[in-house]
Amino acid sequence: MTRIAPRTANPATVRRLAESGLHPALARLYAARGITDPRELDDSLATLIPPTELRGVDDAAILLADAIEAGARMLVVADYDCDGATACAVAVRGLRAMGADIAYLVPNRFEYGYGLTPAIVQLAAQSEPDLIITVDNGIASIDGVEEARSLGIATLITDHHLPADALPQADVIVNPNQPGCTFPSKALAGVGVMFYTLLALRAELRTRGAFDDGKGPNLATLLDLVALGTVADVVPLDHNNRVLVSQGLARMRAGQMCPGVRALFSAAGRDASRASTFDMGFGLGPRLNAAGRLADMSLGIECLITDDMARAMNIAQELDRLNRERRSIEADMQSDALLALDGFDPGQRASIALFERTWHQGVIGIVAGRIKEKFHRPVVAFAPGDDGQIKGSGRSIPGLHLRDALDLVSKQCPDLILKFGGHAMAAGLTIREADYARFADTFEAVVQALIDPADLTRRVDTDGPLETGFMTLETARHLEHAIWGQSFPAPVFDDVFEVDNQRLLKDKHLKLALRKNNARFDAICFNYAEPVPAAIRVAYRLAVNEYNGVSSVQLMLEHIEPA
């Protein structure tokens, strides 16, 4: 069962925003997302929270400045997703611009797993670094930091993940979510934390007179990477993150981006001059992530740090090939999952656990997400690991904090989960294969205890009807240009339409001609092959369709039910 739930907006707030010059449709949308003052929409860099408010960042700046002055060898240890890759590229590009001797290492997820483990430190030690800098990982790397300490290697942890009860004994930790940090935005992605660290370092080097021009490098040139990693990691787009994303998008639209980002736009067949958060989340991000899922994320990082356009294009084409391969593997795994769930009754369970010995570790997170979308249940999917272990990736629904749920499982059964980590909506874990059934039962009991039964009903949040007079290319362009993402969702409208015509495209996509108040609209619903009645209620996005050089409005249907 699905329930359509329109958002509400205070009429006085809508009027105030519209009077400030906002498009009337945008005024209503922003008001429904908690914006009460036009100043909250100021996306200038001057409105960013100052780096000095981020705990540990001044100490990190001193550590890095001292290392640069001493000619110390630095090594970035990155995570293997898009946030980790962009954070690594930001670190390498930014530190090199400030005179650092910098290299990077990204663990192969299938050999080393996640984070700064002792094994990764041993691998890193082969290049004899004086300082290891983690990006998008490290806050849980107690043993890895201790290993580095024993080898005489200093450590700087930059991360955004939630910490455990104990912190690693690193030289410096920069993480807005660490205890005692009062930074107002807890939603920074890993790439955002690294960007802030560079801002503080540049300020420190300025005080030391390190730059001939007194200013140092223009770090705004890194904002295309910051925007890409922030959107792809699906962190909440609070005001601070919206500023970072907006500034990065502006640079992309103006053609001011690194060769790797430009090449990724080309490989994805998308127009950078009209770049949107949708392009980053569904076009560029998946191609970078494909390297970490199927091969080695160093391929993605090389794409982002090279200044050779031809090399960037070659790498982007390889990333595109890997992404197509990932899609094929995902389709097979999804078929396996749906077969295993044949006859599954969501009314009888609050969660889903899946495991197949043929599944690919790098793709289980995507499959978990697809199954979550279909059944509206928290899902954990497992694939084989080493030494009798299986590795899981989970995706959650609103109302269940997945990492907290796994933490409760680990407290109830201390020997069950070997390791875990993550966020509210996504998490990873490792268990023994022999414990799979026990995990599934324990996880189910924990979810049932934590979740409100009402949250097990799928809810489509919408912005209600859109006036026919606003269902125009102008409005669609305004929506396309705005910043949308996690916790600041893209507009979805709902309304009743008459169906003038319907047909299937490629036997799986429903193409419709809809009518409302004598106005006619083209619409499409992907992966929906059922015929619909003469009148339907739909939830839809207002989009721009480009075909043969002609632009037109198209409704992208996300939910259909009889009127």
Side-chain angles (χ1 to χ4, degrees), residues 454-528:
D455 290 326
L456 295 175
T457 296
R458 185 193 310 275
R459 191 179 78 180
V460 178
D461 292 308
T462 77
D463 293 286
L466 180 62
E467 298 89 333
T468 307
F470 287 149
M471 297 176 72
T472 63
L473 267 177
E474 180 196 13
T475 305
R477 296 282 192 210
H478 277 294
L479 299 182
E480 182 181 68
H481 194 79
I483 306 300
W484 313 106
Q486 183 69 19
S487 299
F488 205 79
V492 174
F493 306 98
D494 78 85
D495 213 334
V496 173
F497 293 88
E498 301 296 322
V499 179
D500 283 349
N501 187 31
Q502 56 183 298
R503 60 189 174 92
L504 278 181
L505 300 180
K506 300 182 179 179
D507 296 323
K508 62 178 181 178
H509 308 308
L510 186 62
K511 179 78 171 173
L512 304 110
L514 302 180
R515 183 167 33 86
K516 178 192 174 189
N517 298 338
N518 296 319
R520 201 165 182 268
F521 304 96
D522 288 331
I524 190 167
C525 188
F526 290 110
N527 299 308
Y528 190 100

Side-chain angles (χ1 to χ4, degrees), residues 152-185:
I153 304 172
T155 50
L156 165 59
I157 303 296
T158 75
D159 200 354
H160 70 124
H161 293 92
L162 297 173
D165 294 336
L167 296 177
Q169 296 301 303
D171 291 75
V172 181
I173 296 175
V174 185
N175 183 336
N177 290 300
Q178 68 176 305
C181 185
T182 58
F183 192 73
S185 172

Side-chain angles (χ1 to χ4, degrees), residues 352 367-379 395-398 425 458:
I352 295 174
V367 171
R370 301 287 190 229
I371 299 302
K372 177 208 73 171
E373 290 299 324
K374 181 173 180 62
F375 292 101
H376 194 68
R377 292 292 182 271
V379 177
R395 298 294 183 270
S396 194
I397 60 175
M425 302 303 287
R458 185 193 310 275

Side-chain angles (χ1 to χ4, degrees), residues 181-369:
C181 185
T182 58
F183 192 73
S185 172
K186 302 300 182 183
L188 279 177
V191 68
V193 176
M194 190 64 235
F195 181 70
Y196 262 82
T197 302
L198 292 177
L199 291 175
L201 171 60
R202 185 180 61 180
E204 174 66 21
L205 289 173
R206 281 173 177 169
T207 65
R208 300 186 184 196
F211 304 122
D212 292 338
D213 63 359
K215 296 179 180 179
N218 178 11
L219 297 180
T221 60
L222 302 173
L223 284 168
D224 57 338
L225 296 169
V226 177
L228 174 55
T230 299
V231 171
D233 211 45
V234 203
V235 292
L237 291 192
D238 60 8
H239 178 261
N240 209 61
N241 277 341
R242 291 202 306 277
V243 172
L244 293 172
V245 171
S246 178
Q247 291 290 326
L249 272 176
R251 296 188 67 85
M252 293 176 190
R253 291 165 181 161
Q256 300 171 334
M257 61 198 118
C258 69
V261 171
R262 188 185 301 275
L264 286 168
F265 269 104
S266 176
R270 295 173 186 260
D271 181 0
S273 69
R274 291 177 48 201
S276 69
T277 52
F278 188 87
D279 292 321
M280 289 188 283
F282 296 94
L284 279 63
R287 283 164 174 78
L288 277 175
N289 278 328
R293 293 186 186 283
L294 299 187
D296 185 338
M297 186 46 99
S298 60
L299 189 67
I301 294 170
E302 284 298 314
C303 184
L304 299 179
I305 65 175
T306 184
D307 289 322
D308 183 331
M309 191 64 213
R311 183 160 187 261
M313 289 293 291
N314 286 337
I315 297 175
Q317 290 302 319
E318 175 62 12
L319 293 173
D320 185 63
R321 185 195 66 77
L322 285 171
N323 194 49
R324 291 195 302 273
E325 181 183 346
R326 185 271 302 169
R327 286 176 181 166
S328 176
I329 294 170
E330 175 198 335
D332 290 341
M333 289 170 59
Q334 190 171 340
S335 294
D336 292 341
L338 292 174
L339 186 63
L341 291 168
D342 186 35
F344 174 77
D345 182 1
Q348 299 300 312
R349 290 185 70 86
S351 69
I352 295 174
L354 297 162
F355 168 53
E356 289 286 342
R357 289 186 174 85
T358 59
W359 281 359
H360 194 295
Q361 278 184 36
V363 187
I364 50 175
I366 299 177
V367 171

Side-chain angles (χ1 to χ4, degrees), residues 356-416:
E356 289 286 342
R357 289 186 174 85
T358 59
W359 281 359
H360 194 295
Q361 278 184 36
V363 187
I364 50 175
I366 299 177
V367 171
R370 301 287 190 229
I371 299 302
K372 177 208 73 171
E373 290 299 324
K374 181 173 180 62
F375 292 101
H376 194 68
R377 292 292 182 271
V379 177
V380 182
F382 289 92
D386 299 321
D387 303 321
Q389 298 177 358
I390 57 177
K391 297 190 175 183
S393 185
R395 298 294 183 270
S396 194
I397 60 175
L400 181 80
H401 193 297
L402 188 55
R403 187 197 174 279
D404 287 355
L406 294 178
D407 186 50
L408 187 54
V409 170
S410 71
K411 286 180 167 62
Q412 291 184 1
C413 302
D415 63 328
L416 183 53

Side-chain angles (χ1 to χ4, degrees), residues 436-451:
Y436 167 70
R438 185 160 66 106
F439 170 82
D441 290 342
T442 307
F443 182 61
E444 169 69 15
V446 164
V447 172
Q448 293 223 21
L450 291 178
I451 201 162

